[in-house]
Amino acid sequence: MRWKCHARAPANKHQLTRLHDANWRCRPLETAHVANLPWPTSPEQATSVPQRRSSTRCQAAASGTAAAPHAASSVPRPKNALLVTLVEALFRFPPFFAIAAKNAREMIVKRGESMGLDFQAEIDALKGVDWEAELARVQDPSVKYPAYYTVPFHAYPEGNLGWMPAMEMTVAARSVHSTVYDPEGKTLDPQGDDNLRSSYSRCMQQLLEEGGARPVRDILDVGAATGLSSLALLKAFPDAEVIGIDLSPHMLAVGSFLQRQRALQRPPGSPPERLRFVHGAGEQTRMPDQSFDLVSVMLVCHELPAAASAAIFKEAYRLLRPGGALAVMEMNPASPGFQRVFNNPFAYVAFKSTEPWLLEYVSLDMAAAMADAGFLPAQQLENSPRHCTVVAIKPH
C-alpha cells in the first residue's frame, strides 16, 4: 500500500513552515499523525478541557528554522497483516458489522455527552420541520448514486442517505474532532472541530500565497454535507462566493434549512450569506469549465475509493481557472499512530466500522493523482498532529 501526502517539488523551490500548538510541533512529511478514531476507548479515560480558541497557526518553529519539502517515503504496510485480513473478512458478515457499528457510535455519543453535547437534543430541535418539503428544495432527481456511496458510513446503516446522520452532523463532528490536537487522543476540547477547520484555512492560504495562486473569488466545496466546511471557507474568504456540492440530499436539506435559520438571525441590512448548495457528485459536477478559483475537498477523500478521489482531482482541474488551486485537508496515514490502528484489533474494528473505504484511502498516492490530473507539484503543511493540508495549483 502507498499513501503520500507530501510536496513533490524540488527541495529548493519552497519551504514548509512548521505548525506550533501547545507542546506539539509540526514536522514536515515524517510527522506522526493519529487517525480520527473515537479515542480513547471510553469517555471516562478522557479529560475534558474548557472551551478555548486554538492558538494553532502555520508558522516557523521557535528555532526559526524551516524544513524544505522532499518526497515522503511510502507508508509501510500494516505489520499485522493477519489482523487486517481477518477484520476485513469479518466485516463481510452483516451481524458483525452491525455490532461493531453500534459500539462505535455509542462511543462517539458518550464522548460527546462527556463534553455536554446532546445528540438527541439536536434531533429533537429539528423534528418539527417538514423534511420532505426541504428535500424537494435541494434534490436533483437526475443524480445517480455511485455504488461506493450506498454503503454504511460513520456507523449509520443508511450511510449519508438518511435524516439521522444529517441531523447529527454538527454534534458528531464536535465529538469526533474533540481530541484532534492531543497526540495521545485523551484531552477533549469542544472547539476541536472549529480549530481544525480554521487551521486548514490558514495553512491553505499560506500555500496559495507561496504558490502564486490566483485571487479567490469563486469556490467549490466538494463534500459540503450540511455546510460546516462551506462556512469555514466563507470565513477564510469573506469576499468569495461558495458553492457546496454533495451527493446526500438529506445533508443538503438540513444545511439549506440551517442557512435560512441563520438568515433570520442576521441584523437587518446585513449582506446575504454567499453560499449555495448543489446536489451532485464531486467527480461529475456538470458545472462549466474554468468557473472556479478554488476547489476545496475537506475530510472527504478518506470516505472514497482511491479511483473516486482521482476522478475528483481531474474534475477540479477542469473546473479551475488557470492559476486556480485544488486544496485538500485529510488525515495523514504516514504515521506510527496510523500503523498502531492496524495493529490494535479494537481500534481497527472501531475505525473500520465507520470508514468502509479505509484501505482504499491508504492506497491513494495523493500527490501523484494530482500530478496525473495536470496540476503543478503539490505542496503540504500539516495543520494538526493528525491532519495535513495539500495544495496543488493549475498552471497559469
Side-chain angles (χ1 to χ4, degrees), residues 361-386:
Y361 171 62
V362 172
S363 76
L364 174 65
D365 187 334
M366 187 178 290
M370 290 177 174
D372 289 344
F375 289 97
L376 296 174
Q379 301 294 308
Q380 172 194 329
L381 285 172
E382 293 169 309
N383 58 292
S384 92
R386 311 180 186 192

Side-chain angles (χ1 to χ4, degrees), residues 143-224:
V143 170
K144 305 297 183 185
Y145 299 106
Y148 72 77
Y149 197 74
T150 59
V151 299
F153 279 97
H154 302 150
Y156 297 103
E158 66 271 44
N160 293 321
L161 297 171
W163 292 116
M164 182 174 288
M167 293 179 187
E168 290 185 348
M169 170 60 71
T170 299
V171 68
R174 290 174 182 166
S175 175
V176 169
H177 295 144
S178 61
T179 61
V180 75
Y181 284 103
D182 179 8
E184 299 300 321
K186 295 180 179 179
T187 301
L188 303 183
D189 184 356
Q191 296 297 321
D193 184 69
D194 290 338
N195 293 336
L196 177 62
R197 297 177 194 277
S198 60
S199 70
Y200 166 55
S201 296
R202 288 190 292 272
C203 291
M204 171 175 51
Q205 288 171 319
Q206 176 178 321
L207 291 174
L208 292 175
E209 181 179 355
E210 291 178 353
R214 64 180 297 119
V216 176
R217 294 290 182 268
D218 298 294
I219 302 174
L220 179 64
D221 180 21
V222 176

Side-chain angles (χ1 to χ4, degrees), residues 129 134 137 253 255-265 273:
V129 178
E134 294 295 328
R137 293 171 65 100
S256 177
F257 173 78
L258 294 176
Q259 182 182 39
R260 296 202 306 280
Q261 295 300 109
R262 292 191 298 271
L264 295 175
Q265 298 170 6
E273 193 172 83

Side-chain angles (χ1 to χ4, degrees), residues 50-387:
Q51 293 191 15
R52 59 180 174 81
R53 302 304 300 177
S54 172
S55 61
T56 305
R57 57 195 181 277
C58 301
Q59 63 174 24
S63 64
T65 61
H70 58 84
S73 60
S74 299
V75 175
R77 292 178 180 273
K79 295 178 181 179
N80 196 337
L82 179 61
L83 170 63
V84 173
T85 301
L86 176 61
V87 172
E88 292 295 318
L90 286 173
F91 268 92
R92 298 188 185 99
F93 185 53
F96 180 82
F97 167 80
I99 294 172
K102 179 176 180 291
N103 290 339
R105 184 176 184 278
E106 287 177 352
M107 207 180 302
I108 294 170
V109 170
K110 287 180 180 178
R111 188 168 71 178
E113 289 175 345
S114 71
M115 296 186 297
L117 303 179
D118 192 335
F119 278 63
Q120 189 57 47
E122 291 282 326
I123 294 177
D124 291 343
L126 298 171
K127 276 186 175 178
V129 178
D130 184 351
W131 287 114
E132 292 307 313
E134 294 295 328
L135 193 69
R137 293 171 65 100
V138 299
Q139 188 170 27
D140 182 347
S142 68
V143 170
K144 305 297 183 185
Y145 299 106
Y148 72 77
Y149 197 74
T150 59
V151 299
F153 279 97
H154 302 150
Y156 297 103
E158 66 271 44
N160 293 321
L161 297 171
W163 292 116
M164 182 174 288
M167 293 179 187
E168 290 185 348
M169 170 60 71
T170 299
V171 68
R174 290 174 182 166
S175 175
V176 169
H177 295 144
S178 61
T179 61
V180 75
Y181 284 103
D182 179 8
E184 299 300 321
K186 295 180 179 179
T187 301
L188 303 183
D189 184 356
Q191 296 297 321
D193 184 69
D194 290 338
N195 293 336
L196 177 62
R197 297 177 194 277
S198 60
S199 70
Y200 166 55
S201 296
R202 288 190 292 272
C203 291
M204 171 175 51
Q205 288 171 319
Q206 176 178 321
L207 291 174
L208 292 175
E209 181 179 355
E210 291 178 353
R214 64 180 297 119
V216 176
R217 294 290 182 268
D218 298 294
I219 302 174
L220 179 64
D221 180 21
V222 176
T226 61
L228 291 175
S229 54
S230 303
L231 292 175
L233 290 167
L234 281 174
K235 184 177 181 180
F237 301 96
D239 296 326
E241 304 264 352
V242 176
I243 293 179
I245 188 169
D246 201 276
L247 267 170
S248 171
H250 303 81
M251 295 283 184
L252 296 176
V254 172
S256 177
F257 173 78
L258 294 176
Q259 182 182 39
R260 296 202 306 280
Q261 295 300 109
R262 292 191 298 271
L264 295 175
Q265 298 170 6
R266 282 198 299 269
S270 300
E273 193 172 83
R274 298 181 176 184
L275 169 61
R276 179 167 64 91
F277 291 109
V278 173
H279 185 207
E283 59 266 53
Q284 191 175 8
T285 64
R286 299 183 289 184
M287 295 178 185
D289 292 358
Q290 299 189 18
S291 52
F292 294 96
D293 306 305
L294 173 67
V295 175
S296 174
V297 187
M298 193 184 305
L299 298 172
V300 173
C301 291
H302 71 276
E303 300 183 357
L304 304 173
S309 292
I312 287 175
F313 299 163
K314 291 179 180 179
E315 178 73 347
Y317 188 90
R318 181 185 71 81
L319 293 171
L320 286 166
R321 299 173 181 123
L326 167 64
V328 176
M329 191 262 279
E330 262 301 348
M331 297 180 291
N332 189 352
S335 67
F338 201 86
Q339 292 300 309
R340 284 197 297 271
V341 172
F342 283 102
N343 291 295
N344 182 325
F346 300 104
Y348 185 47
V349 167
F351 200 15
K352 176 65 179 179
S353 67
T354 65
E355 304 296 350
W357 299 107
L358 178 60
L359 292 183
E360 282 275 333
Y361 171 62
V362 172
S363 76
L364 174 65
D365 187 334
M366 187 178 290
M370 290 177 174
D372 289 344
F375 289 97
L376 296 174
Q379 301 294 308
Q380 172 194 329
L381 285 172
E382 293 169 309
N383 58 292
S384 92
R386 311 180 186 192
H387 300 82

